[in-house]
Each structure stands twice: as C-alpha cells, then as structure tokens.
Amino acid sequence: MTISPRSRPCTASGTAIVKSEAAGGDVPLAPVETRRRWPRWRLLASPLTRRILAVNLLAPVVLVGGLLYLDRYKQALIRSELEGLATQAEMVAAAVGEGALVEGEIEGLEFNADTARQMVRRLAEPAKLRVRLFGSDGELVADSRFRLGANGVVHVEMLPPPREPNWSDEVRQWWERTAHWMRFDRALPLYRDRPRARASDFAEVATALDGRSGAQVRTRSGGGLVLSVAVPVQRYKQVGGAVLITADGTNVTRALFQVRLAIFQVFAVALGLTIALSLYMAGTIARPIRRLALAAERVRHGQGRTLLIPDLSRRGDEIGELSVALKEMTEALWRRMDAIEAFAADVAHEIKNPLTSLRSAVETAARIDNPDQRRRLMAIVLDDVGRLDRLISDISDASRIDAEMSRAESAPVAVAAMLDALADVYRVTGGETGPTFTLDRPPGDPLIVNGIESRLVQVLRNLIANAMSFSPPGGAIHLTAERNGGWVSIVVEDDGPGIPDNKLDAIFDRFYSERPEGEKFGTHSGLGLSISRQIVEAHNGRIRAENRPGGGARFTVDLPDTGAGVASQR
C-alpha cells in the first residue's frame, strides 16, 4: 500500500483516511489522537484555586457565623436591662405605695385613682418607660400611656427624637428584620398589648400580687424584644397592688449590633487578607503547575526540540523539584529516542552485511556446477545464517534489557557466592589447555549488592568469555572482589595482548569487535560489552576497561555497596 502525496488525512472523526493504489479505494488507518484543548487560564477557573479559597475561607466564615450569634452576650445584656428595670420598678412601687395607697372604706388597701395616675405619669416620663399599675383585684388602675382628657382617654406614644439617616441604623433595622425572619427568638412568648389589660394577662404581675418580683422577656410579632418587670406595691408589708414596667429591647439590640458590626469589620479585613493570600498561594501553586502541564503538552505534540520545560528550580519547593524532574525526564526521553534511532541504524547496518554475503553466495551457487565450490558456498551460507542468528539473538537480548530492568524487582545479591560459583564452573569446563582461574575476595564477607542476579551473572560471563578469548594457551584469568569506598568492585584480568589505548571506550559501543588474530570472522556480534555496560548502568554502577602494566586487559565493575552495614555487624 502506498500513500498518495496529494491525499490528506481526515481527522474530523478521529480516523485517518488515505488512498491505496493497491486496494483501489479508501483504507482507514489507526485512529489519530486529537490534541487536548486546555482551557484558557483564569484566576478563578482553576479547580485548585477554588479549593484553596474554600479551605481558607471555611474557618473564618464559620467563626464569624458563630460570633454573630452572640447568644450568651445577649442573655447578659437582657439580665442587665431587667435588673435596671427592677430597680426602677421598686422605686415607682415605693413612691406609689407611700402616696397613692390608702386604707379602704370597706376593707383592705386601695389606690386613690387620680393620685395614682398622676404619680405613674410623672414617674414614667423621665425614664421614658411604660408603667402600669394594677390593683389587688387585678384590674388596671393607671397606665402611663393613657391620660384622661376633656374628650375621654388619650393614648400617648413616645416618638424617638428626629435623627439624620444613618447607614448603621438602616443596617441594624435590616438585621432585626432578618433575625426575626430567621426566628432566633422563637422560644419566647409573643407580646400582646390590650387596651384594657388585666393582671392575668401577665404572669409576672400575678407573681407580684403574690408578694414576689417577676420578670419576663417577650417578642413582638413584627420583630424586637419587650422586657417587663413587675414588683408588688406594699404598705406595712401588705400587698395592695403591683407595678409593671415594660421597655423595648432597643438598647439590647443596639449593643448587639455594635458588637456584630465590630466583628464584621474585623471579619471584612480578615476576609480580604485571606482572599488575597489564597489567590497569591493559588498563583504560586496552580499557575506554575499549569505552565508545566502546558509545556509537557507542547513537548508531546510539538516538532523539534526547541520546546523546553520551564525551569522553576529557583523556587526551592516541591513545584521546583517537579519542574526539574519533568525537564530531566524530557531530556532522558530525547536521549532514549536518539539511542533507539542509532540502535536501529546499527542493527540495519550489521544485518545488511551477512544478507549481502548470503545474496552473493546464493547468486553465485546458481551459476556454479563444480560440487566442491558449491559446498564451499553452502558453508559460507551456513556461516552467514549462524551469524544472523547470533545477531538477532543478541539484538533481541539488548532490546529487552531496559524493559526487563524496569519491571524486575531488585533483591540483595551476594557477589562473593556468585564469583565462587562462576570460578568453579569455568575451572571444571576449561579443560587442560584452557586458562587457569584465580579468585581473590575478602573471607567471610558476602559483598551484598542490590540488583538482579541473573543479569549480573550475564555481565560476569561476558567479561570472563571475553578474557578467555584473548588469553594465550596456559594463561591465567584473575577474578577479584573487594569493597572500595561505598562500592563493591569486581575486577576481571587476563594475560592477553591488551586493548589499544585509543579504543578503551570504543569497545563498549554496539557492534564494535576487536577480535584476536586467527579467530573466525562473525563468531561474535560485538554486543557483549555493550550489553554489559547497559546492565551495569541500570544497576546505578559503572564499568571501565584499562590495560595492565605487565600486559593484558583489566575490566572493573563498580556496584553500589548496600551490604556494608550487614558486613560490619558480622
């Protein structure tokens, strides 16, 4: 299938459509991933910003809500007002008892009605209170709000003094209406004002007629409190009636409102600071995170490597660490892509050589009739097939290492026991003409490292096999293991010709091969040392090659020492 240069992918439905000359029609390809659309940044559009505001505002809002209720303070104010009313009621009762309470013509004490009305009116005016006087029979004798005029009874209502409009009064009235609607005083009895009241209408008056003072708090139907106190009117310890003083709760509500207003002012300042600090915090958290997310999205869908992750490391906090981690991850991804591209190119080059040799051998064999020459060509074909098989096996192993290392669980590995086993195996299988093996390690120290044992064994096998291939007949291979400043060092030495000084690093490149003279070509893929370095670096270790002063090569593998504490305890 070929893609026509003039065909354009159609991504409206998320699937690409291309022209296929072989199929003669439209062929759907894999679904095309559409780019995520990130909403534009707004200060309050971020969910993180809203959560920060909600968490920071919850505590002050609940606190000010509780303070605005002020139930205990309100009860203290009411008690103070009732005590003041009781004092005034006792003074009025004493004056009325001395001046208006006289001996009755029939029996008991009775009030002089005219004198009682005048005294109640005179005593109530300075205090701006409503005073009512009840006789011992419960009938109303005098009321400071009612006066006798030429045309009958006149109802007197005290009006508040004229005042200029004040925003605090308007707010207070609004609050009183709201408080009444919210029914903060729902448990209080309702106050009813009847023109001809009786003592039975007021429980506190009935109490006073029994010789005890009484008090009551009521609420108006339109909102507001009514405070009342009743005290007995006595003469020579004999109860002749009761005085009832009532007052509205304006002083209480005004005092409460002033406190609430002060609390609200402090709350407004605290609220402003909380919002400002929350927005600042959201700006220093949500906005950088969004910048990082947008940058990661651009890197994911962008072309080229000019799109970089913002460097926020100067912040010195977790977001700065996140930016550094994302930046390093992006750079690691680019390096991995470069490595994959180079690996693919190297694989193609290495596989192409034996394929070219195979093709030439097959084409030549078709034109040759000589059986001996044809057998030699078939031997070349078999060698190339074997070379391809080794290449494919080593390439497959190299490509699986990264995935396997990321999935496998690391575990403590005893390097000493691993070297003992390898040395014993190679001593037994080396034969009489093979090199001799010596092992030098600290006695009684297991040399624990953290890693994947099978892969570490593969590294040592590659190094030992490389040393054996370069060792002369009757040579020696020396294995050494020791602790070295936080590392466990494993050294493999041979008596071979050594390594060219300019190739000490190149021998770890993929498909590099520097074989001894006389060795058959193609028996090694050139991936052994590259795979070894890949495994060691995946264990956070390092591997290096050098030449011995007396001749031969030395390979050193350093792995992080994780068993130093265990060894010291032993």
Side-chain angles (χ1 to χ4, degrees):
M1 182 184 72
T2 60
I3 300 177
S4 173
R6 292 174 294 180
S7 64
R8 296 182 180 274
C10 176
T11 60
S13 61
T15 304
I17 305 296
V18 297
K19 292 292 184 180
S20 173
E21 296 177 359
D26 293 343
V27 178
L29 295 180
V32 178
E33 183 180 2
T34 58
R35 184 169 183 172
R36 182 184 303 171
R37 294 184 178 272
W38 292 85
R40 295 182 60 186
W41 166 261
R42 296 187 186 89
L43 190 59
L44 296 179
S46 169
L48 185 58
T49 301
R50 294 196 294 269
R51 290 171 188 166
I52 291 175
L53 281 172
V55 171
N56 289 341
L57 291 179
L58 180 61
V61 167
V62 172
L63 177 62
V64 78
L67 290 176
L68 288 177
Y69 187 60
L70 296 174
D71 185 65
R72 291 187 178 180
Y73 181 64
K74 179 180 179 181
Q75 296 301 325
L77 289 176
I78 291 175
R79 284 195 300 269
S80 178
E81 286 289 319
L82 290 176
E83 290 173 359
L85 291 177
T87 302
Q88 292 176 328
E90 290 173 356
M91 294 172 61
V92 173
V96 172
E98 291 294 331
L101 189 61
V102 297
E103 293 288 342
E105 295 179 357
I106 301 176
E107 60 178 350
L109 299 174
E110 62 182 20
F111 288 103
N112 186 326
D114 293 336
T115 304
R117 292 190 187 97
Q118 291 180 6
M119 292 185 69
V120 166
R121 180 172 58 84
R122 295 287 186 179
L123 293 172
E125 283 181 357
K128 297 182 175 57
L129 300 172
R130 184 175 184 181
V131 180
R132 279 173 279 194
L133 180 62
F134 293 89
S136 59
D137 57 356
E139 295 294 331
L140 181 64
V141 176
D143 189 341
S144 62
R145 294 286 177 89
F146 294 94
R147 299 179 184 177
L148 291 176
N151 297 322
V153 179
V154 178
H155 184 198
V156 179
E157 186 73 30
M158 299 297 295
L159 298 178
R163 299 177 59 181
E164 295 183 0
N166 192 336
W167 67 271
S168 62
D169 290 337
E170 295 178 358
V171 174
R172 179 175 58 84
Q173 294 171 3
W174 171 83
W175 171 256
E176 290 177 0
R177 292 192 298 269
T178 304
H180 174 69
W181 177 75
M182 297 174 67
R183 299 185 65 187
F184 287 155
D185 301 321
R186 66 182 65 184
L188 298 178
L190 185 62
Y191 175 75
R192 293 182 175 87
D193 191 4
R194 295 183 176 90
R196 295 296 299 176
R198 290 183 54 83
S200 59
D201 296 334
F202 302 96
E204 62 271 27
V205 175
T207 302
L209 291 176
D210 290 337
R212 302 186 308 274
S213 298
Q216 185 67 48
V217 181
R218 295 179 177 87
T219 180
R220 296 183 186 273
S221 59
L225 299 176
V226 177
L227 310 179
S228 60
V229 174
V231 297
V233 179
Q234 297 177 340
R235 188 173 186 181
Y236 305 120
K237 301 300 182 178
Q238 184 178 359
V239 178
V243 170
L244 174 66
I245 293 182
T246 57
D248 58 12
T250 303
N251 293 335
V252 175
T253 56
R254 185 177 289 113
L256 285 173
F257 176 74
Q258 293 300 324
V259 174
R260 289 189 176 106
L261 184 61
I263 293 174
F264 182 77
Q265 291 172 347
V266 174
F267 170 70
V269 175
L271 182 65
L273 291 176
T274 301
I275 292 176
L277 292 176
S278 299
L279 294 179
Y280 169 75
M281 185 180 297
T284 58
I285 296 177
R287 190 175 300 173
I289 291 178
R290 187 175 183 81
R291 284 182 59 195
L292 293 175
L294 291 174
E297 186 74 7
R298 288 194 297 267
V299 169
R300 177 169 173 253
H301 294 283
Q303 301 292 331
R305 305 189 182 185
T306 58
L307 301 173
L308 300 177
I309 301 295
D311 187 4
L312 305 178
S313 58
R314 290 178 296 178
R315 292 171 56 100
D317 56 7
E318 289 80 0
I319 295 179
E321 295 176 359
L322 176 62
S323 70
V324 173
L326 287 176
K327 188 175 182 180
E328 293 176 351
M329 182 185 68
T330 303
E331 294 173 355
L333 288 175
W334 286 121
R335 289 195 299 270
R336 180 63 56 85
M337 292 177 64
D338 292 340
I340 292 174
E341 183 179 357
F343 183 73
D346 293 341
V347 167
H349 174 74
E350 292 299 323
I351 291 181
K352 188 174 181 180
N353 290 334
L355 286 178
T356 302
S357 177
L358 276 173
R359 180 179 179 180
S360 299
V362 171
E363 290 177 351
T364 303
R367 298 192 298 268
I368 293 178
D369 296 330
N370 190 327
D372 294 336
Q373 293 180 350
R374 184 171 293 179
R375 281 194 298 271
R376 286 196 294 271
L377 287 175
M378 290 298 104
I380 294 174
V381 169
L382 290 176
D383 288 341
D384 289 336
V385 170
R387 182 183 174 190
L388 277 175
D389 181 66
R390 286 190 296 273
L391 273 174
I392 293 173
S393 298
D394 290 344
I395 289 170
S396 175
D397 189 24
S399 63
R400 289 198 308 267
I401 287 177
D402 284 339
E404 180 181 336
M405 296 298 293
S406 63
R407 290 194 302 265
E409 293 288 340
S410 297
V413 178
V415 174
M418 185 171 58
L419 288 175
D420 289 341
L422 288 173
D424 291 340
V425 169
Y426 281 104
R427 287 192 188 104
V428 173
T429 60
E432 297 181 356
T433 59
T436 60
F437 284 86
T438 61
L439 174 61
D440 184 16
R441 64 175 183 82
D445 190 351
L447 300 176
I448 301 296
V449 298
N450 202 40
I452 302 173
E453 185 174 5
S454 61
R455 288 300 180 180
L456 294 178
V457 170
Q458 181 181 359
V459 171
L460 294 178
R461 282 185 175 276
N462 287 342
L463 296 180
I464 293 173
N466 184 76
M468 292 177 63
S469 64
F470 282 95
S471 293
I477 295 177
H478 308 280
L479 304 178
T480 306
E482 60 182 355
R483 297 185 186 276
N484 185 15
W487 299 88
V488 173
S489 298
I490 305 172
V491 181
V492 179
E493 298 175 319
D494 61 58
D495 296 335
I499 305 170
D501 292 336
N502 60 344
K503 300 295 184 180
L504 292 176
D505 292 330
I507 61 174
F508 294 102
D509 294 341
R510 284 189 299 268
F511 303 111
Y512 178 85
S513 182
E514 186 77 25
R515 306 311 304 168
E517 296 181 1
E519 185 177 277
K520 184 178 179 181
F521 176 76
T523 57
H524 293 83
S525 63
L527 287 174
L529 292 179
S530 175
I531 291 175
S532 298
R533 181 173 66 177
Q534 191 176 359
I535 294 173
V536 171
E537 290 179 351
H539 283 79
N540 298 320
R542 57 197 181 193
I543 184 172
R544 62 184 183 274
E546 56 187 343
N547 288 312
R548 300 172 60 192
R554 178 187 294 122
F555 287 86
T556 303
V557 176
D558 294 326
L559 297 172
D561 184 3
T562 59
V566 176
S568 62
Q569 293 176 4
R570 294 183 181 180

